[in-house]
Amino acid sequence: MTTDQSGLFDTPVAPPDPVTGGLARPAAGAPLAVRMRPATLEEIVGQEHLLEAGSPLRRLIDGSGAASVLLFGPPGTGKTTMASLISTAAGGRFEALSALSSGVKEVRAVIDAARRRLISGTQTVLFIDEVHRFSKTQQDALLDAVENRIVLLVAATTENPSFSVVAPLLSRSLVLQLRSLSNADIRKLLVRAASDPRGLGGAVTIDDDALDHLEKISGGDARRGLTALEAAADAVLSDVDADGEGPAVVTLAYVESAVDRAAVRYDRGGDQHYDVTSAFIKSIRGSDVDAALHYLARMISAGEDPRFIARRLVVHASEDIGMADPTALQTATAAAQAVQLIGMPEARLALAQATIHLATAPKSAAVVTAIGAAIADVEGGKAGSVPPHLRDGHYAGAAKLGNAVGYRYPHDAPDGVLTQQYPPDELVGVDYYEPTDRGRERDIGPRLGRLRNIIRGRR
């Protein structure tokens, strides 16, 4: 049995400090992940590629740079922390908006106030969390203020800005990508949280097996790991208080009971969605059945719409397999029908069967190449008149126009194929479909050559 973990690893962002700028010091009762948010540059773990000496982000945090920034990366990698440090370094006034609750009116109010402050020499740092949730209109409202540095924008997003941020705002900002934390990074944060006075203050210790499991379920997300540790520590301390004896040790059993299972980090509407889907298709294309099943499992575990997965399989069956194995499309289509008929969780078996079939099938992109070349010719103006003998002759007066006159019925020929012009004049002799020598196309190739010779009168 599994539990609903929506929001399990979410932690609130502390409100801004109106005096010092940045985020206010969290209260003692705040979640562990909030209390352990780094307060200085030295406390940041990971993101070495962004924090090396002389880097744009390092200069911003040190207070020697002035540019609007889009911080892009997975959850729990330090986006809010870095926004806080940048705002503190910049001085002036700190304003925070959440894309979940703010509209154009709130954005314009902040900008108007920032414009008034700028007259007296006070810079405003505007922090927007989850900026990808802002509409195009809301993002457009920021453009002038960002371009003229009325505000120094620091925006955080879990989605690729190329997909979720309007191009004008993107071009006016420095885009910095944060990476998931390594297991070593997560371990360092967990050990620090156990001993730091802001965290658990040494009230518990963590054994190695529990640390290993916490690393694993964190998935590179510091907030997730710290939240899981806090839940396990609370359970340990409750038992110690009840028994009145024994050391307070967070063991693997406590971690497993406190957190039923790690929520799979996969945003169905965001960048993770596109990354995992891309990896899924590319693994099938590369014939790595095991990797393909891994990514399928990630999508299923994350609650991805099975109809979306099925549609991708149907497309892939023609896109990367095609006539090398014509049954691949049948299997994929059958899986899509199974999803509609029986639903999840049982339909995962049909999706897995289709994934295995497609991953192990011979590959050919000849279908894609063929239709692509044909469309290119049509769009390039090669769309001449239909030959008269192929035109519709099922109406009065058609014969007087020459329609269908001279058409030869292929079934009258012994082999069911005969010499006749089918394409417009300017496309006679053009080959679009070029079968490979893989799978069924190995047999199709020679047959196609013979068919073309007969049709074009070359036998």
Side-chain angles (χ1 to χ4, degrees):
M1 177 180 176
T2 59
T3 56
D4 180 7
Q5 298 188 12
S6 56
L8 176 61
F9 296 108
D10 295 338
T11 55
V13 176
D17 187 320
V19 178
T20 62
L23 301 179
R25 183 180 299 277
L32 180 63
V34 174
R35 303 199 307 271
M36 290 306 300
R37 180 170 285 127
T40 65
L41 185 63
E42 290 68 29
E43 289 186 355
I44 294 178
V45 174
Q47 314 309 333
E48 291 84 359
H49 65 294
L50 295 178
L51 295 172
E52 57 189 13
S55 66
L57 183 57
R58 185 68 179 242
R59 292 199 303 274
L60 284 169
I61 294 176
D62 287 342
S64 58
S68 290
V69 180
L70 289 172
L71 298 172
F72 152 49
T77 52
K79 297 184 296 296
T80 304
T81 294
M82 291 184 181
S84 173
L85 294 177
I86 291 170
S87 65
T88 301
R93 177 77 178 201
F94 182 83
E95 297 280 359
L97 294 177
S98 171
L100 293 173
S101 57
S102 303
V104 174
K105 180 181 178 181
E106 288 78 11
V107 171
R108 288 176 175 163
V110 169
I111 292 173
D112 288 343
R115 188 176 284 109
R116 291 192 296 271
R117 292 190 200 105
L118 201 58
I119 296 174
S120 61
T122 302
Q123 175 72 64
T124 299
V125 177
L126 173 57
F127 173 58
I128 299 179
D129 197 21
E130 298 191 87
V131 69
H132 58 274
R133 297 184 184 273
F134 261 0
S135 67
K136 181 181 183 299
T137 301
Q138 290 169 306
Q139 293 184 34
D140 286 343
L142 294 165
L143 294 178
D144 181 71
V146 170
E147 185 169 19
N148 294 294
R149 289 193 178 169
I150 296 169
V151 298
L152 183 66
L153 175 67
V154 181
T157 175
T158 56
E159 296 192 10
N160 190 328
S162 298
F163 299 124
S164 57
V165 176
V166 295
L169 185 57
L170 201 60
S171 67
R172 290 165 171 79
S173 306
L174 182 64
V175 179
L176 300 175
Q177 182 174 5
L178 283 71
R179 298 171 183 166
S180 294
L181 301 183
S182 68
N183 283 349
D185 293 334
I186 295 293
R187 197 179 194 93
K188 183 176 180 178
L189 290 172
L190 293 170
V191 172
R192 178 193 293 173
S195 60
D196 194 294
R198 294 173 298 171
L200 300 175
V204 299
T205 58
I206 316 171
D207 71 18
D208 288 341
D209 288 342
L211 275 173
D212 290 341
H213 190 60
L214 285 167
E215 287 177 13
K216 185 184 302 182
I217 67 173
S218 295
D221 183 333
R223 183 166 57 244
R224 173 178 293 162
L226 291 169
T227 303
L229 170 61
E230 184 174 30
D234 286 345
V236 171
L237 293 173
S238 295
D239 285 351
V240 170
D241 288 343
D243 296 340
E245 61 181 31
V249 180
V250 175
T251 64
L252 176 60
Y254 275 109
V255 174
E256 289 180 333
S257 62
V259 182
D260 182 59
R261 65 178 175 88
V264 178
R265 195 190 71 226
Y266 175 87
D267 183 354
R268 283 167 47 189
D271 197 43
Q272 286 287 318
H273 165 86
Y274 296 109
D275 287 347
V276 173
T277 302
S278 175
F280 176 57
I281 294 302
K282 288 173 181 173
S283 297
I284 297 177
R285 180 181 298 136
S287 300
D288 190 332
V289 63
D290 304 297
L293 286 169
H294 165 75
Y295 292 117
L296 174 64
R298 282 176 67 165
M299 290 190 285
I300 291 173
S301 297
E304 178 61 82
D305 185 343
R307 296 171 299 178
F308 168 79
I309 302 173
R311 287 195 297 270
R312 294 308 309 158
L313 289 170
V314 172
V315 171
H316 178 75
S318 293
E319 181 179 26
D320 289 300
I321 299 169
M323 294 303 294
D325 180 1
T327 65
L329 181 57
Q330 298 171 8
T331 299
T333 303
Q337 292 175 333
V339 167
Q340 296 286 355
L341 288 172
I342 63 176
M344 296 294 277
E346 291 85 354
R348 72 183 189 276
L349 301 177
L351 292 173
Q353 180 178 342
T355 297
I356 293 169
H357 184 152
L358 271 59
T360 56
K363 303 300 189 292
S364 170
V367 169
V368 176
T369 303
I371 189 60
I375 289 175
D377 274 353
V378 171
E379 293 179 345
K382 295 181 180 179
S385 299
V386 174
H389 59 279
L390 297 184
R391 296 174 189 170
D392 181 22
H394 295 88
Y395 61 92
K400 292 182 180 180
L401 297 174
N403 291 2
V405 175
Y407 171 67
R408 303 180 65 195
Y409 191 52
H411 291 293
D412 290 339
D415 295 325
V417 59
L418 44 74
T419 300
Q420 185 162 236
Q421 179 182 337
Y422 291 98
D425 292 343
E426 55 265 55
L427 293 175
V428 171
V430 174
D431 297 342
Y432 290 125
Y433 177 50
E434 294 292 347
T436 68
D437 60 356
R438 298 187 290 274
R440 286 284 300 277
E441 286 190 323
R442 185 182 298 112
D443 300 324
I444 292 174
R447 172 173 168 76
L448 179 59
R450 293 194 298 271
L451 289 172
R452 283 172 174 162
N453 285 338
I454 295 171
I455 294 167
R456 296 170 185 175
R458 298 194 301 237
R459 58 178 173 179

